[in-house]
Amino acid sequence: MSEKSPRLRAELDGIPTYKPGRPAAAGGPVAYKLSSNENPYPPLQGVLESAVAAAGNFNRYPDMACTGLVNEIAERFGVPVEHVATGTGSVGVAQSLIQSTAGPGDEVMYAWRSFEAYPIIAQISGATSVQVPLTEGDVHDLDAMAEAITERTRLIFVCNPNNPTGTAVRRAELERFLDRVPSDVLVVLDEAYREFVRDADVPDGIELYRSRPNVAVLRTFSKAYGLAGLRVGFAVAHEPVAAALRKTAVPFGVSQLAQDAAVASLRAEDELLGRVGSLVCERNRVHETLLAQGWTVPDTQANFVWLRLGERTAEFAAACEKAGVVVRPFAGEGLRVTIGETEANDLFLHTAGAFF
Ligand code: PMP
């Protein structure tokens, strides 16, 4: 018998594993998890009931085409059903987008720092990542991104608002950028945090997609809708991109629980968006308090704030944890802190005030 291991693709060497935000320490003092940009509110009763009802059938495969959910999304956003493609979280849809557009020798571009999954899913496809640094103000440098486009560029992510900085690009600059992108390059507007945007100059990607066949918009039920644990996201894109997504998606990748809970969430949108409004108030309070404490914090349009702490990052993360708040450190760069329940935010602010 051969002693050799199975041969794996060489491109997998050196791909880091996606690192989830740390959970709150079990058995610790008060431990709030502000490390994964989750929604702190528990599921709505009606949403829970729809999931429980679906659970009674989990000996069956789900509806692979997500028919009810796709119809509901298409109606809610005023787009054709053929332009909606669902997936296992929006990260699953993002992975399908890369698999559909870029392979070895092709380039996938995004700002850096941005969502940690982009380099991983690009590398899994064998594509080359092109990372364009954010400006000093931690905003997308769209001019530099336009200049970095080459013959090999296949897909560009614009994370708007950006994770982990919370900063957002505005309509005029985004439209100017889109005008400069060749029509055979796909631009993915990752709007995982769209519902938290309050700056009226930040465009709704779904409006931009309507007149631009090379623009796809990514949305998720994980954040504003509070279904992170159910794994459901979607893209709105023209044909043939949406058709390619349906082809490359993991078969049955969205459970019936997730589909039914997502439909129920869209139907309960008023109540859920009311909660988002409260989180936005909390976000503004946290942001203003940090500024008053003397911190430099970029304007955030998402459900988190970004503190560029450099070498003090690990020390501050440890201080937060000691106080009972788990945050998300990016070694040597900074700290991302999700807006949670008021007590958690207060605990964090208290720690930040003492640390400054
Ligand atoms: N895009 C961005 C910008 C994110 O921050 C996240 C989650 N952290 C996702 C996509 C993926 O979310 P999900 O897979 O839960 O839809």
Side-chain angles (χ1 to χ4, degrees), residues 4 93 141 174 207 250 290 296 324:
K4 284 185 181 166
V93 185
D141 189 341
L174 186 54
E207 295 315 315
V250 173
L290 288 169
T296 304

Side-chain angles (χ1 to χ4, degrees), residues 269-306:
E269 203 173 43
D270 288 350
E271 198 171 350
L272 289 170
L273 294 184
R275 290 174 162 191
V276 168
S278 305
L279 288 170
V280 167
C281 289
E282 273 297 284
R283 170 189 79 197
N284 295 344
R285 179 178 77 89
V286 169
H287 189 241
E288 281 157 23
T289 309
L290 288 169
L291 293 179
Q293 287 174 351
W295 294 94
T296 304
V297 195
D299 176 38
T300 171
Q301 293 293 312
N303 65 337
F304 50 85
V305 289
W306 171 245

Side-chain angles (χ1 to χ4, degrees), residues 222-241:
S222 298
K223 311 294 179 182
Y225 295 90
L227 302 184
L230 289 182
R231 313 306 303 125
V232 52
F234 64 96
V236 174
H238 291 264
E239 304 282 8
V241 176

Side-chain angles (χ1 to χ4, degrees), residues 110-114 131-145 157-171 173-174 176-177 199 201-203 296-301 306 308:
Y110 44 86
W112 199 250
R113 169 159 298 271
S114 191
Q131 302 184 335
V132 179
L134 297 168
T135 65
E136 272 191 17
D138 283 322
V139 184
H140 276 73
D141 189 341
L142 291 178
D143 283 336
M145 288 177 75
F157 284 110
V158 178
C159 187
N160 202 32
N162 189 46
N163 175 7
T165 58
T167 51
V169 293
R170 305 226 154 74
R171 183 174 292 102
E173 49 175 331
L174 186 54
R176 207 168 41 240
F177 171 72
D199 180 340
D201 284 337
V202 176
T296 304
V297 195
D299 176 38
T300 171
Q301 293 293 312
W306 171 245
R308 193 171 272 290

